[in-house]
Amino acid sequence: MESTLHRQLKALYAGSSAACEVRVDGYRVDAVVDGRLIEIQQASLAALRRKVSRLLQHHRVLVVKPLCARKVIIRHEGRSRQVLSRRTSPRHATIWDVFQDLVYFVGVFPHPRLALEVIFADMEEHRAAIRGGWRRREKMTDRRLLTIQQRLTFHTADDLAALLPPHLPNEFTTAELAAALDLPRWWAQKVAYCLRKTGGLVPSKRGRRGWVYSRPRPVAPGPRASLGPRR
């Protein structure tokens, strides 16, 4: 079932004059605006790999990836829909969350006809309380858009590489990258993997602490975001 968030973003990107839910080359596309196909993907980007690869053969494509900058969790009684509680989640997404998903999409991005737009939004998440047996459970029933805080659009590997902090040395390991980004090393390894696969980083040598990476060329300032740690 389509979420309210998906409908809201589709209406926002499509506008009043665009066509929505259009069949293109055998695929259903969220919207078509001035000849460009728009796909809004809340789930993993991996699910779009084949579809977007086929569409890019003849069309320009914009993939929109929403991330939750601030989440208000609203719990309802399952049947009556009575609001039981409302709270703000302490967790929020940063730009580095994209790389956990991008690892499955680097075979498609970058591409001359493809743009990836990441939006940071305040959202409501609605959960229904379900009673069954001795254990009370919850399930997510809907997500709704409140406001959009920021949009970042990526076209090239340089756009991704420009996110790296400027104080990183010319050569660095994923351990040094993890320290610079204030992330666990396994997460920094995903960032490095994406940048290496897209051409934003080059593995220059292998040392005792793993691969040493370097930037292939100076990178101009690109899209910026709040790069703080996940809380």
Side-chain angles (χ1 to χ4, degrees):
M1 182 182 296
E2 184 181 34
S3 69
T4 302
L5 173 65
H6 191 272
R7 288 196 300 271
Q8 289 172 307
L9 290 175
K10 188 165 58 177
L12 178 67
Y13 277 85
S16 59
S17 59
C20 294
E21 299 297 331
V22 181
R23 298 290 295 186
V24 179
D25 295 349
Y27 293 98
R28 185 179 296 277
V29 177
D30 286 330
V32 181
V33 180
D34 297 329
R36 183 166 71 167
L37 313 184
I38 298 176
E39 277 291 298
I40 298 164
Q41 184 68 359
Q42 298 180 68
S44 172
L45 293 174
L48 282 182
R49 282 181 302 192
R50 183 175 181 180
K51 177 180 182 179
V52 172
S53 294
R54 295 283 183 87
L55 293 174
L56 285 171
Q57 294 177 11
H58 304 290
H59 307 278
R60 294 179 296 122
V61 180
L62 172 65
V63 173
V64 179
K65 179 66 179 178
L67 293 179
C68 191
R70 186 177 70 92
K71 182 193 297 183
V72 179
I73 300 173
I74 302 174
R75 295 175 61 249
H76 300 268
E77 181 63 46
R79 293 183 178 180
S80 67
R81 298 292 295 170
Q82 176 185 358
V83 175
L84 300 176
S85 66
R86 181 190 298 263
R87 66 180 178 88
T88 300
S89 172
R91 301 184 68 186
H92 64 268
T94 72
I95 190 59
W96 307 116
D97 287 82
V98 174
F99 289 86
Q100 295 202 54
D101 206 5
L102 195 60
V103 293
Y104 307 106
F105 203 61
V106 289
V108 181
F109 180 92
H111 188 282
R113 298 193 189 97
L114 175 63
L116 173 64
E117 185 154 289
V118 180
I119 63 173
F120 294 87
D122 294 350
M123 305 179 191
E124 283 182 353
E125 182 173 287
H126 292 255
R127 299 179 183 178
I130 303 173
R131 296 182 181 181
W134 61 272
R135 190 175 182 181
R136 190 183 184 98
R137 297 177 293 114
E138 292 183 356
K139 70 173 183 178
M140 196 273 291
T141 58
D142 199 11
R143 285 197 178 103
R144 298 177 184 176
L145 176 67
L146 298 176
T147 59
I148 292 178
Q149 293 189 9
Q150 188 177 26
R151 302 187 196 191
L152 296 176
T153 306
F154 301 91
H155 297 274
T156 66
D158 283 351
D159 291 340
L160 292 176
L163 293 170
L164 293 177
H167 62 270
L168 269 173
N170 292 331
E171 293 188 334
F172 54 88
T173 65
T174 54
E176 293 168 321
L177 180 61
L181 304 182
D182 194 14
L183 296 174
R185 188 171 184 179
W186 62 264
W187 198 333
Q189 288 170 337
K190 290 191 175 185
V191 175
Y193 173 85
C194 292
L195 292 175
R196 176 171 63 86
K197 284 294 188 178
T198 56
L201 286 181
V202 174
S204 56
K205 58 186 176 183
R206 189 174 181 86
R208 291 183 178 180
R209 302 186 66 190
W211 281 102
V212 176
Y213 294 92
S214 62
R215 306 184 197 201
R217 55 193 175 280
V219 177
R224 305 302 295 175
S226 173
L227 305 182
R230 190 183 197 136
R231 295 181 174 85

